[in-house]
């Protein structure tokens, strides 16, 4: 997901999408998952030079990713769509410019509590941690360096660092992470009901459509097994005084005021696939050096004086 927080910030995106040819490039890449420059030029009936120019605008806007792959015939440019949706905030949050912002990031392996069930596994960007389908390795000391893990049902919980200045309160909490379902092997049609909790209060549920392995994740290491989880979808959860939102769409009426969070508060965030969920399709979390977004769990806290 590409999150544009203002119209000015989205100018490059609007320009990139303001061309019929560039729209057709995006459509082709969506239909074919990935194509090289020669294939795109041939499909659209234009020169390679024209494709290069248009692709540069799409890449600069963040819509498309261009990778260099090495083959026996030299290097070739492989192109993929880099977003699953674009969220544009036309109207800024009330008093946003008067608020202070605290940003932090929690590595995916820094969970504070867990209960997971096979199929499951955990890995750094260099090697698996222990054996797959053995949940005991989720307690291994090396898990602090984990870049990906997966399980069929259960939960993981994180403590969000709260280093706000004294005498301040939290007005909005936003988290983003790359996640998907967990199928044996991979399966793009494998729904899973993933629920989110803040300090033991359920703030909403999202149904992941599948466990994706049709192409290698942009940042997934070369040694990673081709028939395993390759990438997820970037999801953004925001909780403010109006309720809880997922990618800008309201998913519950649970609001930030119910928690009375301030600079002294412990903030716990949990992701769960419940045993009694309609779709028990597991959860995969992708951290930096894995998947398509090269990030861990990003947190953005808006705060103001008490």
């Amino acid at each position: 997901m590409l999150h544009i927080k203002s119209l000015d910030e989205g100018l490059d995106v609007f320009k990139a999408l303001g061309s019929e040819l560039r729209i057709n490039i995006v459509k082709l890449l969506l239909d074919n998952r990935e194509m090289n420059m020669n294939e795109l030029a041939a499909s659209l009936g234009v020169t390679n030079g024209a494709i290069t120019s248009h692709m540069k605008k799409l890449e600069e806007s963040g819509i498309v990713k261009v990778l260099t792959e090495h083959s026996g015939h030299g290097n070739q440019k492989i192109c993929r769509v880099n977003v699953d949706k674009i969220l544009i905030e036309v109207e800024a949050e009330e008093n946003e410019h008067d608020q202070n912002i605290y940003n932090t990031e929690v590595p995916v392996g820094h969970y504070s509590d867990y209960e997971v069930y096979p199929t499951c596994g955990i890995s750094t960007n260099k090697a698996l941690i222990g054996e797959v389908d053995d949940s005991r390795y989720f307690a291994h000391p090396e898990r602090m360096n984990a870049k990906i893990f997966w399980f069929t049902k259960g939960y993981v919980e994180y403590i969000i660092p709260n280093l706000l200045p004294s005498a301040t309160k939290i007005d909005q909490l936003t988290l983003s992470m790359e996640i998907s379902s967990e199928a044996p092997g991979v399966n793009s049609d494998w729904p899973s009901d993933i629920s989110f909790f803040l300090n033991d209060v359920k703030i909403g549920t999202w149904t992941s459509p599948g466990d994706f392995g049709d192409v290698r994740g942009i940042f997934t290491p070369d040694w990673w097994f081709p028939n395993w989880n390759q990438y997820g979808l970037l999801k953004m959860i925001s909780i403010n005084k109006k309720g809880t939102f997922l990618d800008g769409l309201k998913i519950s009426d649970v609001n930030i005021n119910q928690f009375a969070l301030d600079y002294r508060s412990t903030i716990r965030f949990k992701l769960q696939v419940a045993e009694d969920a309609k779709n028990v399709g597991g959860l995969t979390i992708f951290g930096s050096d894995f998947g398509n977004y090269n990030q861990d769990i990003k947190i953005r806290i808006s705060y103001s004086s008490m």
Side-chain angles (χ1 to χ4, degrees), residues 26 36 39 52 65 73 98 103 141 221 223 242 259 267 273 276:
V26 173
N36 63 39
E39 291 169 334
T52 300
K65 187 77 174 179
H73 304 287
D98 298 327
N103 290 299
W223 66 267
K242 297 178 182 178
F259 298 91
I267 309 171
V273 178
D276 59 355

Side-chain angles (χ1 to χ4, degrees), residues 146-159:
K147 302 296 184 179
I148 184 174
F149 64 80
W150 61 97
F151 56 86
T152 292
K153 62 181 180 180
Y155 69 86
V156 288
E157 185 173 70
Y158 296 87
I159 294 179

Side-chain angles (χ1 to χ4, degrees), residues 24-25 28-29 32-48 51 55 69 76-80:
N24 288 334
I25 290 173
L28 275 172
L29 293 177
N32 295 280
R33 297 292 183 180
E34 62 180 32
M35 299 175 72
N36 63 39
M37 293 286 198
N38 292 334
E39 291 169 334
L40 283 168
S43 297
L44 293 167
V46 298
T47 65
N48 281 22
I51 283 293
M55 195 59 64
E69 289 201 354
Q76 63 173 338
K77 301 288 187 180
I78 300 297
C79 310
R80 301 177 186 170

